[in-house]
């Protein structure tokens, strides 16, 4: 099969289209013909040599999510059948014509979504739902602060907040991204020029602060988050684009009784990944089918142009997801 390889760490130009062996599904696994995949920050970090793949994924083929058609079944698989159109998360290897995943990690694609749209769903929407709803307990009537609101996870988060009856405040460094996020249901947008946004958030919440923070940037954003969090508020740290360290006011953490939690999907054990896949089936697919949620696709590239897709992500010019389409795999 054809796949994009990372022969050595480096810039986008190191990504190379090569012929590699087609994977074979084992017990409980399914092989999927990949019609589309999407670019994530984890792929960029892996390409730079800063985020090695876990043991159950190819070491040199990036890609964490896919949409495609079931091609072959391993022993004991009963959840799906050949020809089913499915999407989901994988530990890696999705920049390829075929990928092998555990059958229980799959969801059937709702009829309203194309393969390209479906590929833009799993990582962003599962991450946002898991971090905000499952881990931070966001409920109707509460307010969530979403950093980098124009990112894939950010655009998913404001839609999910609206769907469950919560309010959202989003931050970005581009006015156009805030305008587009408002069309997705974001209640308030803050245009950032520096890293001081806590006072603006407190003003928007009449001094009460936010109940949940979905932190996608990291670094010194956390010190601002703590300043504008309400009593017993919860923060889920998902991204570290701005760095992995900062100064925190631990006194405020104590006085406000705050909860700060780190979360990631890729490095979880299989059973937890299966549980994440069930979120897609139980909670997200029905909302896509009803039109309450919509994928946000910024650009679509052919697989051979993975380098261009990575370069676009590194420029931070995209709003929503960058998708790679794959053809000729059957």
């Amino acid at each position: 099969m054809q796949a994009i390889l990372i022969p050595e760490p480096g810039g986008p130009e190191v990504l190379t289209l090569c012929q590699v062996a087609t994977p074979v599904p084992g017990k409980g696994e399914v092989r999927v013909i990949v019609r589309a995949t999407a670019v994530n920050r984890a792929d960029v970090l892996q390409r730079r040599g800063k985020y090695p793949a876990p043991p159950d994924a190819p070491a040199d083929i990036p890609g964490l999510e896919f949409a495609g058609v079931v091609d072959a079944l391993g022993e004991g698989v009963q959840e799906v059948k050949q020809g089913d159109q499915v999407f989901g998360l994988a530990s890696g290897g999705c920049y390829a014509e075929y990928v092998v995943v555990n059958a229980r990690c799959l969801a059937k694609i709702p009829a309203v979504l194309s393969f390209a749209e479906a590929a833009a769903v799993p990582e962003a929407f599962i991450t946002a739902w898991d971090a905000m709803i499952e881990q931070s307990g966001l409920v109707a009537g509460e307010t969530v602060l979403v950093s980098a609101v124009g990112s894939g996870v950010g655009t998913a988060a404001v839609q999910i907040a609206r769907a469950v009856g919560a309010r959202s405040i989003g931050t970005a460094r581009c006015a156009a991204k805030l305008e587009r996020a408002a069309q997705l249901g974001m209640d308030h947008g803050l245009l950032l020029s520096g890293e001081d946004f806590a006072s603006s958030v407190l003003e928007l919440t009449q001094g009460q602060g936010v109940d949940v923070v979905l932190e996608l940037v990291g670094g010194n954003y956390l010190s601002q988050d703590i300043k504008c969090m309400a009593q017993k508020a919860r923060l889920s740290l998902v991204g570290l684009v701005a760095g992995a360290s900062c100064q925190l006011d631990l006194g405020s953490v104590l006085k406000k009784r705050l909860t700060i939690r780190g979360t990631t999907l890729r490095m979880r054990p299989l059973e937890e990944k299966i549980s994440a896949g069930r979120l897609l089936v139980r909670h997200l697919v029905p909302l896509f089918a009803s039109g309450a949620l919509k994928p946000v696709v910024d650009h679509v590239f052919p697989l051979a142009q993975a380098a261009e897709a990575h370069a676009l992500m590194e420029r931070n010019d995209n709003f929503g997801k960058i998708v790679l389409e794959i053809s000729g795999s059957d």
Side-chain angles (χ1 to χ4, degrees):
M1 68 174 182
Q2 287 192 320
I4 293 290
L5 299 187
I6 306 172
E8 60 183 4
E13 70 281 354
V14 304
L15 296 174
T16 306
L17 187 64
C18 298
Q19 288 284 338
V20 300
T22 301
V24 177
K27 184 176 181 179
E29 293 181 329
V30 171
R31 184 170 67 206
V32 176
I33 301 171
V34 182
R35 295 301 193 195
T37 183
V39 178
N40 291 289
R41 291 285 174 186
D43 305 334
V44 173
L45 293 173
Q46 182 177 347
R47 191 204 70 226
R48 294 175 180 171
K50 297 181 179 180
Y51 193 3
D56 62 337
D60 54 357
I61 304 176
L64 305 181
E65 56 192 327
F66 61 89
V69 181
V70 173
D71 171 61
L73 307 178
E75 179 186 349
V77 171
Q78 297 180 345
E79 292 83 359
V80 294
K81 62 183 184 300
Q82 285 183 311
D84 282 349
Q85 296 185 359
V86 296
F87 61 156
L89 292 171
S91 297
C94 295
Y95 286 22
E97 291 183 314
Y98 297 88
V99 68
V100 166
V101 296
N102 188 283
R104 291 178 293 168
C105 293
L106 297 172
K108 294 182 180 179
I109 300 173
V112 295
L113 300 183
S114 67
F115 285 120
E117 290 171 330
V121 168
E123 186 274 342
F125 283 87
I126 292 175
T127 295
W129 184 283
D130 179 67
M132 291 196 309
I133 310 299
E134 300 296 322
Q135 298 194 51
S136 294
L138 180 70
V139 295
E142 291 190 319
T143 301
V144 58
L145 174 63
V146 181
S147 61
V149 75
S151 65
V153 178
T155 57
V158 296
Q159 293 186 69
I160 291 170
R162 180 187 59 183
V164 302
R167 297 178 295 272
S168 60
I169 299 172
T171 66
R173 296 185 180 276
C174 173
K177 290 185 178 182
L178 293 177
E179 292 173 5
R180 294 180 67 180
Q183 296 171 11
L184 296 174
M186 180 185 70
D187 294 284
H188 300 285
L190 295 177
L191 182 63
L192 303 184
S193 56
E195 293 179 349
D196 183 1
F197 54 81
S199 57
S200 297
V201 173
L202 288 170
E203 183 177 350
L204 287 171
T205 58
Q206 292 75 51
Q208 295 300 306
V210 296
D211 305 288
V212 172
V213 177
L214 183 64
E215 184 49 71
L216 306 176
V217 178
N220 288 328
Y221 275 53
L222 268 78
S223 62
Q224 291 291 306
D225 295 334
I226 287 173
K227 290 179 180 179
C228 63
M229 290 171 71
Q231 286 287 324
K232 300 179 73 173
R234 297 84 69 194
L235 182 150
S236 284
L237 175 62
V238 177
L240 300 174
V241 176
S245 62
C246 66
Q247 287 190 331
L248 295 182
D249 179 0
L250 297 181
S252 291
V253 174
L254 292 176
K255 287 185 291 185
K256 294 183 180 182
R257 293 175 287 165
L258 305 180
T259 299
I260 300 175
R261 183 193 304 265
T263 183
T264 181
L265 288 175
R266 188 181 194 186
M267 305 307 291
R268 295 182 186 185
L270 176 60
E271 289 305 316
E272 291 188 28
K273 290 177 180 176
I274 291 170
S275 295
R278 294 300 89 193
L279 298 180
L280 182 59
V281 173
R282 294 172 183 167
H283 302 297
L284 294 169
V285 166
L287 291 172
F288 281 102
S290 71
L293 300 179
K294 296 183 182 297
V296 181
V297 178
D298 184 85
H299 272 75
V300 179
F301 294 90
L303 181 65
Q305 293 181 14
E308 288 89 335
H310 273 228
L312 174 61
M313 171 160 279
E314 290 188 320
R315 292 196 300 271
N316 293 315
D317 290 339
N318 58 296
F319 180 83
K321 299 287 287 191
I322 301 168
V323 170
L324 298 174
E325 281 191 324
I326 303 168
S327 59
S329 49
D330 54 0

